[in-house]
Amino acid sequence: MESGFVEQAQRRIRQTVAVAPGEHAPTLPGLDKIAHARASLPDAAGKSYLSGLGPEATLNHLMDDIVPGLNGENRSGRYWGFVTGSTLPIAEVADNIVSAYDQNVQVHLPDQTIATEVEDAALKMLLRLLNLGEPEQWEGRTFTTGATASNVLGLACGREAVVTSRLGEGPDSVGEIGLLRACMKAGIEEIQVLTSMGHSSLSKAASVVGLGRVSVKSLPFSDAEPWRLNIDAVERELKRENVASIIAISAGEVNTGRFATTGIEDMKRLRSLADRYRAWIHVDGAFGVFARALPLKDEYSSLHRVNAGLELCDSMTIDGHKLLNVPYDNGIFFTRKSSTLNAVFKNPNAAYLSSDSTSQIQSPLNIGLENSRRFRALPVYAVLMSEGREGISRMMERMVLTARAVARAIQSCEGYILLPDAGPGPLSIEDDVHIVVLFRAVDDTLNKVLVQRINEGNKWYVSGSSWGGKPAVRVAVSSWRADHEDAFNTVKESLVAISQAHGHS
């Protein structure tokens, strides 16, 4: 029953999810399919509620009722909402292995399972892929559920470091005696997070680790370039008495894809300031840091320039389920010292969870939020092994070329403006576009409904945003299925048709 049923189910899934070469799955299900799926959900007042359907009937329910109501974010190369990666076939296979073998990767048990060593190998390969340095420079490394969890780790480690550095010699730390008592002993009245257009998860992380959302302070370089970090303002904030600081760098900013720093000189200055004032530098590189894997070509020189120096940070957030195209529930966190992670996240007084204390690989439960965790490293390991440096570089290049094709299509259509449209110079598609494109319609009436009109067409999917006090449309290309020629033609045809329909309304 077990193997036959699973094999049958896998065949049905593959038949349903497959997309023929050259074709594109719809980005959204029809409203009728969502309504049907909703109506199929169990009714607590019904007589059969929780009575048990059995595996075969449940499979039929999932495939016939639920699956048709799911969106096409994995199956379509034109699902450009949020920053949503697809799943590479080898990553899907690896994820099936994860479920089939169901490893709980919590304790390093080298005589019992290879899982923790696979995880460590994947993390080391990522460091080298992204040219961040050797593993010895990043002792603290682990997988998380995503960028939000990694940002929680980043602020937790930053909080630990900036407070402990002011406590002097001794065993005291935030993790041991608590934030309030540690700050009182250290003479700290406030811990602030200095950023520029930081992701919303940064404020969530600040709340989770006890700093409070109000601790996140935006220091924009200018009204025209609010994504850039004003380093002069950072220096002024760092000089405040009885205040400890975490500097959070956006690489890149979620609306524009632009970077908080302009290159190596900015990062060197921030590193010098952080060392002088005992501050912590955290980089939120969820998707932007993958520009470091692009080929060394002139058309990507600006992206390599703004990425230069990010390796000087104390900690870094990376998303696996965005540009790396592994299944969801996959983030990565790096920091310089494993002792910092351990000070915050160790499990004391649990002898049954102990491992070999002489090992170079720490038990994941002592360096992260979770005590029980999925083997989420395996899809990342599989992608890195399958594609290698060159394959991943080509995949990243397809995404950038597709985003730039979308920008050119918008630029070629009368009545639409690429954003941001203010600054020291006009937006340059070649220099400024990574994977995110922001735009709006000139006509304010059309602009208010533009996201709806695009998504109703079900040819490409976008997210709504705002810029300069007006609604805006945001495209983020992050799928291995990216096709720049198809993207140009699809966007141009769609926007022309939308403009014509609006003109006749």
Side-chain angles (χ1 to χ4, degrees):
M1 166 65 182
E2 178 189 354
S3 62
F5 173 73
V6 172
E7 289 171 3
Q8 173 201 353
Q10 288 289 358
R11 283 195 297 271
R12 286 187 66 179
I13 292 168
R14 291 314 312 161
Q15 289 169 359
T16 303
V17 81
V19 180
E23 294 186 6
H24 292 271
T27 55
L28 295 175
L31 292 177
D32 58 328
K33 294 179 179 178
I34 294 178
H36 175 81
R38 186 175 294 122
S40 76
L41 299 176
D43 180 0
K47 291 183 179 179
S48 61
Y49 188 71
L50 284 177
S51 60
L53 297 175
E56 293 284 353
T58 301
L59 176 61
N60 291 334
H61 164 59
L62 295 178
M63 299 305 298
D64 299 337
D65 300 327
I66 302 301
V67 166
L70 302 177
N71 66 32
E73 62 184 51
N74 180 37
R75 300 172 62 236
S76 173
R78 303 183 193 139
Y79 190 97
W80 299 325
F82 313 102
V83 185
T84 305
S86 299
T87 296
L88 282 161
I90 188 61
E92 181 182 340
V93 170
D95 203 55
N96 287 336
I97 293 172
V98 171
S99 293
Y101 284 85
D102 198 23
Q103 304 288 285
N104 182 7
V105 189
Q106 57 167 346
V107 180
H108 177 52
L109 301 168
D111 294 332
Q112 300 177 32
T113 176
I114 197 68
T116 49
E117 292 173 71
V118 171
E119 177 166 318
D120 196 56
L123 291 166
K124 289 175 178 177
M125 284 193 284
L126 269 174
L127 284 170
R128 290 171 173 134
L129 171 75
L130 299 174
N131 301 306
L132 292 172
E134 291 300 307
E136 294 75 20
Q137 300 170 277
W138 299 93
E139 294 176 359
R141 45 187 188 261
T142 191
F143 279 91
T144 68
T145 56
T148 299
S150 292
N151 280 341
V152 170
L153 265 62
L155 293 198
C157 287
R159 176 201 67 186
E160 186 74 26
V162 299
V163 174
T164 303
S165 69
R166 291 162 171 81
L167 284 173
E169 297 296 327
D172 288 346
S173 68
V174 177
E176 288 299 325
I177 66 175
L179 182 59
L180 181 59
R181 186 182 298 177
C183 284
M184 289 176 63
K185 290 190 70 173
I188 296 172
E189 297 175 1
E190 178 186 347
I191 302 175
Q192 58 184 359
V193 182
L194 308 176
T195 190
S196 54
M197 294 192 74
H199 191 268
S200 59
S201 64
L202 194 66
S203 294
K204 177 186 280 192
S207 173
V208 170
V209 304
L211 306 183
R213 287 181 286 271
V214 75
S215 71
V216 180
K217 298 182 179 180
S218 186
L219 303 176
F221 183 79
S222 67
D223 290 341
E225 297 178 278
W227 58 84
R228 279 185 62 186
L229 185 61
N230 185 331
I231 302 178
D232 289 337
V234 170
E235 183 170 8
R236 288 193 294 271
E237 290 290 332
L238 294 179
K239 290 179 178 178
R240 294 176 62 205
E241 292 291 330
N242 304 320
V243 176
S245 300
I246 299 168
I247 304 166
I249 297 170
S250 298
E253 189 273 320
V254 73
N255 281 293
T256 63
R258 309 287 275 275
F259 287 67
T261 52
T262 61
I264 186 67
E265 293 306 320
D266 278 0
M267 283 302 302
K268 284 182 176 178
R269 185 180 173 197
L270 285 169
R271 182 70 269 163
S272 176
L273 289 170
D275 291 342
R276 186 187 316 162
Y277 294 104
R278 292 179 290 180
W280 180 272
I281 301 178
H282 175 69
V283 168
D284 183 351
F287 61 88
V289 73
F290 282 101
R292 298 171 73 96
L294 284 166
L296 296 174
K297 298 179 180 178
D298 289 345
E299 54 261 49
Y300 311 124
S301 60
S302 63
L303 292 173
H304 284 296
R305 185 182 67 250
V306 295
N307 261 278
L310 293 181
E311 68 277 4
L312 298 177
C313 68
D314 296 295
S315 61
M316 180 176 288
T317 282
I318 301 174
D319 247 327
H321 55 227
K322 289 185 170 68
L323 273 64
L324 201 55
N325 278 231
V326 299
Y328 265 91
D329 193 48
N330 196 298
I332 299 103
F333 178 75
F334 292 121
T335 191
R336 296 292 176 182
K337 296 180 179 179
S338 58
S339 58
T340 310
L341 275 172
N342 192 262
V344 180
F345 297 106
K346 67 181 175 183
N347 280 253
N349 306 320
Y352 77 103
L353 296 176
S354 62
S355 63
D356 181 3
S357 60
T358 64
S359 174
Q360 295 297 308
I361 299 177
Q362 289 208 53
S363 289
L365 60 78
N366 287 324
I367 55 173
L369 291 168
E370 303 152 298
N371 274 17
S372 300
R373 48 206 291 286
R374 182 175 172 81
F375 191 14
R376 60 175 66 96
L378 192 63
V380 171
Y381 177 84
V383 167
L384 294 170
M385 291 295 290
S386 170
E387 304 304 303
R389 188 185 296 275
E390 289 189 10
I392 290 173
S393 182
R394 287 194 297 268
M395 181 170 70
M396 299 305 155
E397 186 173 28
R398 288 198 303 273
M399 294 176 193
V400 176
L401 291 175
T402 301
R404 291 178 177 181
V406 169
R408 290 191 186 93
I410 295 163
Q411 197 175 56
S412 71
C413 295
E414 186 177 351
Y416 299 93
I417 299 173
L418 287 171
L419 300 171
D421 57 347
L427 182 142
S428 166
I429 293 174
E430 287 293 324
D431 290 337
D432 298 328
V433 174
H434 177 209
I435 63 153
V436 176
V437 180
L438 194 69
F439 72 102
R440 65 178 174 85
V442 174
D443 184 291
D444 285 340
T445 304
L446 174 58
N447 195 49
K448 291 177 182 177
V449 296
L450 185 54
V451 170
Q452 179 184 346
R453 294 289 178 266
I454 291 171
N455 290 343
E456 283 174 347
N458 213 8
K459 295 293 181 67
W460 50 308
Y461 180 85
V462 299
S463 293
S465 188
S466 63
W467 194 261
K470 293 184 177 182
V473 180
R474 181 179 161 280
V475 167
V477 180
S478 46
S479 170
W480 67 271
R481 301 179 189 271
D483 180 333
H484 65 276
E485 292 182 2
D486 172 77
F488 181 90
N489 294 331
T490 300
V491 171
K492 187 175 178 69
E493 291 171 8
S494 174
L495 291 181
V496 168
I498 288 171
S499 293
Q500 289 175 347
H502 180 72
H504 295 145
S505 62

